[in-house]
Amino acid sequence: MKNIIKEPLVHFLVIGAVLYLFYTLNATDKPSSNAVQKQKIIITQSKIRQLKKNFTQEFAQTPSKTITQLLIEQEATKEILLNEAYKLQLYKEDKEIQKLLLQKMHFILNAATKQKEPTQKKLLTYYQKHLKDYSKRSAISFYDIHFAQLSKEQRKTFYKLAARLKDFQAFQQLKEQTQQEIQERFGSLFLTRMQRLPKEVLSHAIPSKDGLEFVYITDYRVTEPYPFEDVEDRVYQDYLQAQKKMLYDKMLSSIKKSYDIEIIK
């Protein structure tokens, strides 16, 4: 039953039924619709070519003129129903549609953060600026939050939520933990991952001997830095991630400037 409910065709049928009832119940003796300016639905030649291509890929044959006309009518109907659904704000009540729309918006923002390949000079500058991140660590201070078990989807959901936190008081705080103390408490794999984490960036879920940990490093004591050549791959990945986050936050902040957020008590 759940799978049926999630089908897009079912969504359109439900929307169609709602619209039918809505307009039937609100029908009046108003002048003919010819007197009212109609909203245009434009189907471009590019869209028609795409519809025919999709049909050919799915059914391994070129659509006839009749089939092509049906595809066009189907596309027009979809656009009409979507327009009417937005007018009725039906998407605001549908959690699945909300989820898909949010995923698409995050995808668009992430796609817009693509950057040019960094030069060796930029990587060296980044390495020198974050030298402590690429040094041997003797003790680490960090915040940790523990979960016994999480699904992949739950890990992603919590990370997206916690990555925007500016205050980690809900996490357990551990100060000046030596390598031996970390290993005894969380295990060898956790320690290895910890040695590679940059400062002041929330980690994704890290396996420990008792479950999963999300970690935010606040500081660490270091001895000597690793040579740039030994950590160049890490510097490259960290640089790209930092640039991507900066651009994403900048775009999101720009979008938010167009909105006023009001919290009603």
Side-chain angles (χ1 to χ4, degrees):
M1 187 65 182
K2 287 184 179 179
N3 291 333
I4 293 175
I5 291 172
K6 290 181 181 178
E7 283 294 328
L9 179 58
V10 175
H11 289 172
F12 288 125
L13 289 174
V14 171
I15 291 170
V18 171
L19 290 173
Y20 175 78
L21 289 172
F22 177 81
Y23 290 116
T24 300
L25 293 172
N26 288 277
T28 62
D29 295 330
K30 291 181 180 179
S32 170
S33 59
N34 292 330
V36 180
Q37 187 175 2
K38 293 184 178 180
Q39 184 176 346
K40 287 185 178 180
I41 298 295
I42 299 172
I43 307 294
T44 64
Q45 288 299 315
S46 174
K47 171 58 73 175
I48 294 172
R49 285 194 294 271
Q50 187 61 49
L51 292 171
K52 292 169 74 174
K53 181 180 178 181
N54 292 345
F55 181 91
T56 302
Q57 289 176 341
E58 186 171 357
F59 297 100
Q61 58 177 294
T62 304
S64 64
K65 288 184 178 180
T66 302
I67 295 295
T68 300
Q69 188 58 40
L70 289 173
L71 291 172
I72 294 171
E73 290 176 10
Q74 183 184 58
E75 182 67 18
T77 301
K78 184 187 81 172
E79 291 297 324
I80 290 169
L81 290 179
L82 281 174
N83 283 344
E84 295 303 314
Y86 281 120
K87 286 180 186 178
L88 295 174
Q89 298 188 337
L90 298 179
Y91 61 94
K92 289 189 174 181
E93 305 300 327
D94 192 311
K95 299 300 181 184
E96 287 298 319
I97 292 176
Q98 284 183 4
K99 184 178 177 181
L100 289 172
L101 289 174
L102 285 172
Q103 284 176 347
K104 285 197 174 245
M105 284 305 301
H106 286 304
F107 177 81
I108 290 168
L109 289 176
N110 279 316
T113 63
K114 289 184 178 178
Q115 319 134 46
K116 294 180 181 178
E117 280 292 296
T119 62
Q120 189 82 349
K121 183 179 179 180
K122 283 188 175 181
L123 291 179
L124 275 168
T125 301
Y126 185 86
Y127 164 77
Q128 290 162 356
K129 186 177 178 181
H130 301 86
L131 198 60
K132 286 182 71 176
D133 286 341
Y134 307 104
S135 299
K136 296 176 182 177
R137 302 171 184 179
S138 58
I140 306 175
S141 297
F142 59 97
Y143 286 102
D144 168 69
I145 190 164
H146 169 79
F147 291 92
Q149 189 175 3
L150 290 176
S151 67
K152 287 185 178 180
E153 192 62 34
Q154 287 172 324
R155 295 179 202 183
K156 291 179 183 177
T157 300
F158 181 80
Y159 176 78
K160 286 178 182 178
L161 175 66
R164 310 205 73 79
L165 285 176
K166 302 195 183 298
D167 186 338
F168 290 85
Q169 288 183 356
F171 288 44
Q172 178 183 17
Q173 187 175 21
L174 298 167
K175 293 183 178 181
E176 296 286 316
Q177 298 290 294
T178 65
Q179 291 189 32
Q180 184 177 349
E181 288 172 329
I182 293 171
Q183 183 171 344
E184 289 176 354
R185 183 166 187 159
F186 297 99
S188 300
L189 176 59
F190 180 88
L191 175 62
T192 301
R193 296 280 185 91
M194 279 283 286
Q195 292 287 0
R196 296 171 60 89
L197 290 179
K199 189 172 72 171
E200 297 177 351
V201 176
L202 182 71
S203 74
H204 288 272
I206 303 175
S208 67
K209 64 181 184 180
D210 295 319
L212 295 167
E213 319 293 330
F214 289 87
V215 173
Y216 183 91
I217 294 177
T218 55
D219 201 8
Y220 32 67
R221 291 202 312 265
V222 298
T223 52
E224 57 180 319
Y226 294 103
F228 175 74
E229 294 75 17
D230 292 352
V231 293
E232 186 173 358
D233 287 344
R234 278 179 57 195
V235 175
Y236 174 78
Q237 294 298 332
D238 291 346
Y239 175 87
L240 290 182
Q241 190 63 31
Q243 289 296 109
K244 183 176 183 179
K245 185 179 185 303
M246 181 191 72
L247 291 172
Y248 183 96
D249 289 345
K250 188 176 180 179
M251 286 188 294
L252 190 58
S253 177
S254 178
I255 292 171
K256 285 183 174 181
K257 286 179 181 178
S258 301
Y259 295 86
D260 286 324
I261 299 173
E262 182 180 359
I263 300 173
I264 301 175
K265 294 182 179 180

